Amino acid sequence: MGASAVETRVFMEVRRRLQSALLIVGEPKEGGMPMDVSIMPSLLQMKTPTGCTEVRLPAEVRLVPSSCRGLQYVAGDGLHLRLQAHTEFSTKLISIFNQSLQAQECCTFYCQSCGEVIIRDRKLLRILPLPSENWGALVGEWCCHPDPFANKPLHPRENDCFIGDSFFLVNIRNDLWQEPKANTKVICKRCKVMLGEIMSSETTKFYMSEIIIQPSERSFPIIPRSQFVQSVIAQCLVELSSSRSTFRFTIQDQDSKVYILLWLLNSDSVVIESLSSDHIKKFPLLEDTLKAGFNSAWNAVKVLYQPCLRSGDEKLASSWESDISVHSLTLPAATCLELLLILSRSNAILPPSLRQMNSFQVAFLKM
């Protein structure tokens, strides 16, 4: 994307499945000035007596100018309109578990925050998805005889990696200098971030939000922290909504304390925005936003969220926890707070009319 110095804010959400777009053009920074808006298939142009702002769309997005409809002015936002949009945006994800990684390959586990090697050159012979957390109850319904799996937890062998909703299970007994103790946190030696927890002498859980797994011949990939967290959570939401028809989630820490209620609205959004310098503030957890500059486009999931940090939020959180259609995602407490900060920042830079829906706040998570 390219543009001249941005003085007019532009926000666009393109829905790939619907082939439609919502375009919001903010008022000129000077205020009270006339503005001409021109919409072309690959270019938006806003002219005022003092200058011109251009926003070039990604090559994968093309607008249909003749389809413009629903033009209205919304105080605090600017001009709203809808139009058709053709998009071929591919969803290139930061892989939760490197999809090119094959059984029989040697791989290395890294701390995502600092690059410290956690497990080096581990040959994985089996990479298997874990059943759902309620699999034991389902087996009881299916079997006409006593449950053959009762009291038999799934423990990975030395060359196994079991994949859960938001975690990996591996056996790292041979990688530790002392006998592992159950319910002990796994802490990165370099940056002191919590990576997971030891479940038993045979099983260690690593959270997907804290670990990168790469084939050993590859180097550690440097990915901005907020970008990685967003991508991992977005993928978890999309995969769970697809496999289990679950769209509501609680984000909780390892002690089952709920931090956020999340409601997945859609996973086919392409967000394009042109921010003035007033909207970009330096913040260490959001370094990828700064590097992107004043213009950016990305695939995203759209969510509703509700923080649960105040005492008054306990009733709503409790009602969600008791609802069987709500799925819990467990993350380290620090990552729960990171995610809440990312959601809050996303919400703060949306046009004011888009920031709330009923009693929930709206945000986008980049994929």
Side-chain angles (χ1 to χ4, degrees):
M1 293 179 64
S4 63
V6 177
E7 296 297 330
T8 302
R9 186 185 179 185
V10 175
F11 174 88
M12 181 187 296
E13 180 189 3
V14 180
R15 294 289 305 277
R16 289 193 301 271
R17 294 194 186 96
L18 301 179
Q19 295 289 291
S20 66
L22 168 65
L23 172 63
I24 299 177
V25 179
E27 296 185 66
K29 191 175 181 181
E30 295 82 359
M33 299 184 66
M35 178 172 63
D36 292 328
V37 179
S38 299
I39 300 176
M40 290 159 266
S42 60
L43 179 70
L44 302 175
Q45 189 179 73
M46 285 68 65
K47 291 182 179 179
T48 67
T50 60
C52 176
T53 297
E54 291 186 351
V55 177
R56 296 189 180 277
L57 303 180
E60 297 86 353
V61 176
R62 287 294 177 268
L63 302 178
V64 182
S66 60
S67 66
C68 291
R69 66 190 187 279
L71 179 66
Q72 62 175 323
Y73 172 79
V74 177
D77 281 4
L79 293 177
H80 284 225
L81 60 93
R82 295 185 178 275
L83 65 165
Q84 291 180 12
H86 301 300
T87 175
E88 298 177 356
F89 232 82
S90 61
T91 308
K92 184 178 179 181
L93 303 176
I94 298 172
S95 180
I96 292 177
F97 191 91
N98 197 306
Q99 296 302 314
S100 63
L101 195 63
Q102 302 293 326
Q104 309 295 328
E105 267 191 318
C106 282
C107 64
T108 298
F109 290 56
Y110 297 93
C111 168
Q112 192 278 324
S113 297
C114 70
E116 174 76 4
V117 174
I118 308 304
I119 304 176
R120 187 186 298 277
D121 297 334
R122 171 66 67 88
K123 189 171 185 177
L124 296 179
L125 300 180
R126 297 194 304 172
I127 303 170
L128 303 173
L130 286 167
S132 68
E133 58 187 15
N134 298 317
W135 72 277
L138 293 175
V139 168
E141 295 293 329
W142 292 337
C143 295
C144 59
H145 49 76
D147 182 2
F149 305 106
N151 302 316
K152 293 183 179 179
L154 299 175
H155 291 304
R157 299 172 185 170
E158 181 180 351
N159 298 106
D160 291 344
C161 182
F162 295 168
I163 307 175
D165 296 336
S166 59
F167 59 87
F168 308 114
L169 293 184
V170 294
N171 187 324
I172 64 169
R173 184 170 183 173
N174 293 338
D175 296 85
L176 297 178
W177 61 271
Q178 60 181 6
E179 183 74 15
K181 297 179 181 179
N183 302 317
T184 302
K185 295 180 180 179
V186 179
I187 306 295
C188 176
K189 296 177 183 177
R190 181 187 295 176
C191 68
K192 309 305 179 185
V193 164
M194 178 183 173
L195 304 176
E197 52 190 312
I198 297 173
M199 310 301 292
S200 71
S201 61
E202 299 177 351
T203 305
T204 298
K205 175 194 288 187
F206 286 118
Y207 293 107
M208 291 178 178
S209 58
E210 316 305 318
I211 292 288
I212 287 182
I213 305 175
Q214 287 280 100
S216 294
E217 66 270 15
R218 298 185 188 177
S219 58
F220 171 71
I222 299 175
I223 303 170
R225 177 64 182 161
S226 64
Q227 181 183 341
F228 183 79
V229 171
Q230 288 184 72
S231 183
V232 167
I233 300 303
Q235 288 181 71
C236 287
L237 299 182
V238 171
E239 290 173 8
L240 288 169
S241 66
S242 175
S243 63
R244 304 184 189 179
S245 297
T246 298
F247 300 93
R248 291 189 297 158
F249 305 85
T250 58
I251 306 298
Q252 64 182 28
D253 65 13
Q254 63 277 10
D255 297 322
S256 299
K257 177 184 177 182
V258 176
Y259 285 73
I260 312 169
L261 306 180
L262 272 183
W263 197 325
L264 178 64
L265 288 184
N266 62 266
S267 57
D268 65 337
S269 291
V270 179
V271 177
I272 302 166
E273 62 182 341
S274 176
L275 299 175
S276 71
S277 57
D278 292 341
H279 288 88
I280 298 182
K281 302 182 187 300
K282 188 166 183 61
F283 205 96
L285 282 176
L286 303 167
E287 64 275 30
D288 55 309
T289 302
L290 305 174
K291 292 177 182 178
F294 293 160
N295 303 282
S296 55
W298 60 81
N299 291 289
V301 297
K302 187 176 185 179
V303 299
L304 302 180
Y305 74 96
Q306 176 68 54
C308 291
L309 300 180
R310 300 174 301 182
S311 58
D313 300 322
E314 292 176 355
K315 185 176 181 180
L316 178 59
S318 177
S319 68
W320 276 48
E321 289 181 287
S322 61
D323 191 327
I324 61 172
S325 68
V326 177
H327 188 82
S328 297
L329 286 178
T330 301
L331 303 170
T335 304
C336 292
L337 293 174
E338 280 183 89
L339 177 60
L340 181 55
L341 194 57
I342 289 168
L343 292 167
S344 299
R345 178 58 175 163
S346 171
N347 176 265
I349 62 177
L350 288 176
S353 67
L354 303 185
R355 293 176 188 170
Q356 282 198 303
M357 187 177 293
N358 297 327
S359 60
F360 284 77
Q361 299 177 69
V362 181
F364 289 92
L365 291 174
K366 299 179 185 178
M367 298 182 72

